Structure formats: structure tokens, C-alpha cells
Amino acid sequence: MIPFNVPPKTGNELNYIEQAIKSDKLCGDGQFSKKCEAWIEKSFNTAKALLTPSCTAALELAAILIDIKEGDEVIMPSYTFVSTANAFVLRGAKVIFIDVRPDTMNIDESLIEAAITSKTRAIVPVHYAGVACEMDTILAIAEKHELWVIEDAAQGVMSTYKGRALGAIGHIGCYSFHETKNYSSGGEGGAILINDPKLVARAEIIREKGTNRSQFLHGIVDKYTWQDIGSSFLPSELQAAYLYAQLESADAINDFRLSLWNNYYTEFSKILQPEQLPHIPNDLKHNAHMFYIKLASSEERAKFISIMKTHNIVTPFHYIPLHSSPAGEQFGKFSGNDLHTSVESAKLVRLPLYYGMNDDKQLEVVQAVRTFFLEE
Ligand SMILES: *Cc1c(COP(=O)(O)O)cnc(C)c1O
């Protein structure tokens, strides 16, 4: 059986978890959290990185931090995970869905401006498959209309756009360290990157249940009190210890995944059309978060998935567009025409790709896929 994903393991996780246990300080913001945050700040050049229990929590923190209120509108693609939308809907916002570009499955930047109204507060680009959205255009639109840019970089850790790390480009970036992502903090985890220094102090308060405990720990105030709304957005030190082992091996994991990705690309570009394969625009480096191919239709995709299953290969499809889901209909609205989102998402299927996947397994996948297309 070839699984779709195996959570990454580097070998140092247990050692660091043991150190965390022996330190007798397991609540959030201990030494491993600090190490991970410093690593992220240095590697990705952000004003402040804060670990969170998930990317979902990071997005929720972001929505509180930019004061999203009842009646506000937030722009994002419909082709994304529910958490991208939920975080803003929880604050009372209406979600405005924009079509994707069929080449990258990212938000079509050329359609954003037409969706902006007097109620618009933020644009949320989602870097699908770790491939960057067209950030220069998005930042220029946001600046012109005075909007926040919150990057959903759940899949984008270690990717860059014109030399800048994904997640470190907008005002705020959100990472996921869920076990299905490139780096894990023991199953569940995330981080928020505060790139706008003006937001850092309040982000720390919201993350600490609305208190200024962080200032207290830094010796800035001599007791801490309730300052603002907030929640508990800190992961435990056990999660941070696990994550630190992964971040230390970030380059090795990234190189390994890229090599698998490149093998797939080389093999399948021999038998598939360019529009059936992922497209990596110029000026950016991706992190091989995902390798997908597109079939001719959802019927052909169903056939593909069932034939792969007979080879014991797991090839899941991905998001059901949010605007066509019950909650999406209730809390959102599609702006413009759905030319690509529904059609393209129904063709897409993901192939097994994980740190530690061996060459024999990849060859099995390649051969099964080749057989499917060549014998059809
Ligand atoms: C995985 C993912 C999330 C949610 O991440 P969690 O850490 O599981 O909360 C949000 N957005 C996108 C685009 C994702 O891929």
C-alpha cells in the first residue's frame, strides 16, 4: 500500500521532547517555542513569529487582530480549506469568493479589484500547493484600497516569491504544521507571522487570552491584567520540541520533496499536456508541497482514483469549492463568474509525496499512472 502522506520524521523529535519534559516547563512559550520562533524569524525575515495550535488558530488570531467586524467583507478564493473562510465568518464577516487561475489554482489577481466594495477589509491569498500567488499585484491593490493582506501560507513554508518567504509578504502570514504539511509539530500546529511591526504588541496580547502576560514575562510590567479580547493561542512545549527537530532539517526535507516532485514532473510531462500539470511561474521557488495532475473530467478522475486503488495507491482529490458548500452559500458570495473553480477542482487529483518516500514506491506510482494514460 502506498499512502498519500506519511508525517515527516527526522530522528531528533524524541530527544527534544525528552528535553522538554525534563525541563519541567511544558506550557507555551518555553525554550523550544522560542527556538522555533527565532528560527522562523531569521529564516523568513518577519518582525515576529508566534507558534499557534494550528493554522486555523493563526487565521482566527489574524481576524481578531485586524478587527474584522459584523458586515465586513473579506476576499479569498473559493478553492481553499474551510479554515480560511471560517476565521473571518466567526468575526461576522461575509466572504467574497474569487475565481482561481487554472494554471496555479491560486486566486486570479486580475479579478480582485472588481470585487472590492466600501465594506471590504482584507484580501486573503492562499498559496495553493506552496506555489505563490501574484503578490506584487495583490499588494498594490491592497495599498490602493487600504486593505489588509493576510496570507494563508499553510502549504507555503519554505517557498518564496521574488526572494521573499511566503507568509512574510503580506501584513500577516499563517503557517500550518499539521502532519499533512511539509513540517509537523507532532500532528497539529501552526504559526502566525506578524510582518507589520505595529501589530506585534497586540498580537501577543490576543494570543495570551487578552492579557499582557508576554510584557510581564519580559519584565516590562510588574503584573499582568486583562487588556483586550483574546483566547489561548499557544501550543505546548511538546509540540514545539517536535517542530524544532523538523525545522533544523528544513533544507533536507525541502530538497527531498523537490526531488520527488521533479521526478514526477519529468515523467508526466512526457505523457500529459502542460495544462494537466502544475505550473510554477517564474521568479518563485516552491516547496514541493503537492504534486497534482488534472484528468479530463470528474468522471475520468473517479476512474483514475479507483484504478490507482487497485494498485494500492492512494490518490485523493482536494477541496470542494467553498461557495458550493452549505456554509459557503450561507456566509459567502461568489464575485463574478465561476469559470474555473468548479471545473478545474473537479479534475484535480493528488499523488503520494512525502519525506522518506523511497524511489521504488515512486516508480510504482509513475508506472501505474503511465499505464492508466497509455492504455486508455
Ligand atoms: C491545512 C490548511 C489549513 C489549516 O491548517 P491547520 O493547521 O490544520 O489548522 C488552512 N488553510 C490551508 C490552505 C491549508 O492547506
Coordinates of all heavy atoms in Angstrom, one line a residue, residues 54-57 59 80-81 83-84 126 152 154-155 175-178 180-181 188-190 319, ligand 1:
S54 N -2.5 25.7 15.6 CA -2.9 25.3 14.2 C -2.8 26.5 13.3 O -2.8 27.6 13.8 CB -4.3 24.7 14.2 OG -5.2 25.6 14.6
C55 N -2.9 26.2 12.0 CA -3.1 27.4 11.1 C -4.5 28.0 11.2 O -4.6 29.2 11.1 CB -2.8 26.9 9.7 SG -2.9 28.2 8.4
T56 N -5.4 27.1 11.5 CA -6.8 27.6 11.8 C -6.7 28.6 12.9 O -7.3 29.7 12.8 CB -7.7 26.4 12.2 OG1 -7.7 25.4 11.2 CG2 -9.1 26.8 12.5
A57 N -6.0 28.3 14.0 CA -5.9 29.3 15.1 C -5.2 30.6 14.7 O -5.6 31.7 15.1 CB -5.2 28.6 16.3
L59 N -5.2 31.9 11.7 CA -6.1 32.7 10.9 C -7.1 33.4 11.8 O -7.5 34.5 11.6 CB -6.8 31.8 9.9 CG -5.9 31.3 8.7 CD1 -6.5 30.1 8.1 CD2 -5.8 32.4 7.7
T80 N -10.3 26.6 -1.4 CA -9.4 26.6 -0.3 C -10.0 25.7 0.8 O -11.2 25.2 0.7 CB -9.1 28.0 0.2 OG1 -8.2 27.9 1.3 CG2 -10.4 28.7 0.7
F81 N -9.3 25.6 1.9 CA -9.7 24.8 3.1 C -10.7 25.7 3.9 O -10.7 26.9 3.9 CB -8.5 24.5 4.0 CG -8.9 23.5 5.1 CD1 -9.4 22.3 4.8 CD2 -8.6 23.9 6.4 CE1 -9.7 21.4 5.9 CE2 -8.9 23.0 7.4 CZ -9.4 21.8 7.2
S83 N -11.0 26.6 6.9 CA -10.5 27.5 7.9 C -10.2 28.9 7.4 O -10.3 29.8 8.2 CB -9.2 26.9 8.5 OG -9.5 25.7 9.2
T84 N -9.8 29.0 6.1 CA -9.5 30.3 5.5 C -10.8 31.2 5.7 O -10.7 32.4 6.0 CB -9.2 30.1 4.0 OG1 -8.4 29.0 3.9 CG2 -8.4 31.4 3.5
V126 N -4.3 32.5 -0.9 CA -4.0 31.2 -0.4 C -2.9 30.6 -1.4 O -3.2 30.5 -2.6 CB -5.2 30.2 -0.4 CG1 -4.8 28.8 0.1 CG2 -6.3 30.8 0.5
D152 N -2.7 33.1 3.6 CA -2.8 31.7 4.1 C -1.7 30.9 3.4 O -1.8 30.5 2.3 CB -4.2 31.1 3.7 CG -4.4 29.7 4.2 OD1 -3.4 29.0 4.5 OD2 -5.6 29.3 4.4
A154 N -0.4 28.2 4.7 CA -0.5 26.9 5.4 C 0.4 25.9 4.6 O 1.1 25.1 5.2 CB -1.9 26.3 5.4
Q155 N 0.4 25.9 3.3 CA 1.1 25.0 2.5 C 2.5 25.6 2.0 O 3.2 24.9 1.2 CB 0.3 24.6 1.3 CG -1.1 24.0 1.7 CD -2.0 23.8 0.5 OE1 -1.6 23.7 -0.7 NE2 -3.3 23.6 0.7
Y175 N 0.9 29.9 9.0 CA 1.5 28.6 8.6 C 0.8 27.5 9.3 O 0.3 27.6 10.4 CB 3.0 28.5 9.1 CG 4.0 29.3 8.3 CD1 5.3 29.5 8.8 CD2 3.7 29.8 7.0 CE1 6.2 30.2 8.1 CE2 4.7 30.5 6.3 CZ 6.0 30.7 6.9 OH 6.9 31.4 6.2
S176 N 0.8 26.3 8.6 CA 0.3 25.1 9.3 C 1.5 24.1 9.5 O 2.3 23.9 8.6 CB -0.7 24.4 8.4 OG -1.1 23.2 9.0
F177 N 1.5 23.5 10.7 CA 2.4 22.4 11.0 C 1.6 21.1 11.3 O 1.9 20.3 12.1 CB 3.4 22.8 12.1 CG 4.2 23.9 11.8 CD1 4.2 25.1 12.6 CD2 5.0 23.9 10.7 CE1 5.0 26.2 12.3 CE2 5.8 25.0 10.4 CZ 5.8 26.2 11.2
H178 N 0.5 21.0 10.6 CA -0.3 19.8 10.6 C 0.5 18.6 10.0 O 1.3 18.9 9.2 CB -1.6 20.0 9.9 CG -2.6 18.9 9.9 ND1 -2.7 17.9 9.0 CD2 -3.6 18.6 10.9 CE1 -3.6 17.0 9.4 NE2 -4.2 17.5 10.5
T180 N -0.1 16.7 7.7 CA -0.1 16.5 6.3 C 0.7 17.6 5.5 O 0.7 17.6 4.3 CB -1.6 16.7 5.8 OG1 -2.1 17.9 6.3 CG2 -2.4 15.5 6.2
K181 N 1.3 18.6 6.3 CA 2.0 19.6 5.7 C 3.5 19.2 5.6 O 3.9 18.2 6.2 CB 1.8 20.9 6.4 CG 0.3 21.4 6.5 CD -0.3 21.5 5.1 CE -1.6 22.2 5.0 NZ -2.7 21.9 5.8
E188 N -0.5 18.4 15.0 CA -1.3 19.6 14.9 C -0.3 20.8 15.2 O 0.5 20.7 16.2 CB -2.5 19.7 15.8 CG -3.5 18.6 15.7 CD -4.5 18.8 14.6 OE1 -4.5 19.8 14.0 OE2 -5.2 17.8 14.3
G189 N -0.5 21.9 14.6 CA 0.4 23.1 14.9 C 0.3 24.1 13.9 O -0.2 23.9 12.7
G190 N 0.8 25.3 14.2 CA 0.9 26.4 13.2 C 1.7 27.5 13.8 O 2.3 27.4 14.8
Y319 N -10.1 20.1 -2.4 CA -11.3 20.9 -1.9 C -12.5 20.8 -2.8 O -12.4 21.0 -4.0 CB -10.9 22.3 -1.7 CG -9.7 22.6 -1.0 CD1 -8.7 23.4 -1.5 CD2 -9.5 22.1 0.3 CE1 -7.5 23.6 -0.8 CE2 -8.3 22.3 1.0 CZ -7.3 23.1 0.4 OH -6.1 23.3 1.1
Ligands
LIG1 C1 -4.0 22.8 6.1 C2 -4.6 24.1 5.8 C3 -5.2 24.9 6.7 C4 -5.5 24.5 8.1 O1 -4.3 24.2 8.8 P1 -4.4 23.5 10.3 O2 -3.1 23.7 10.8 O3 -4.8 22.1 10.1 O4 -5.4 24.3 11.0 C5 -5.7 26.2 6.3 N1 -5.5 26.6 5.0 C6 -5.0 25.8 4.1 C7 -4.8 26.4 2.7 C8 -4.5 24.6 4.4 O5 -3.9 23.8 3.5

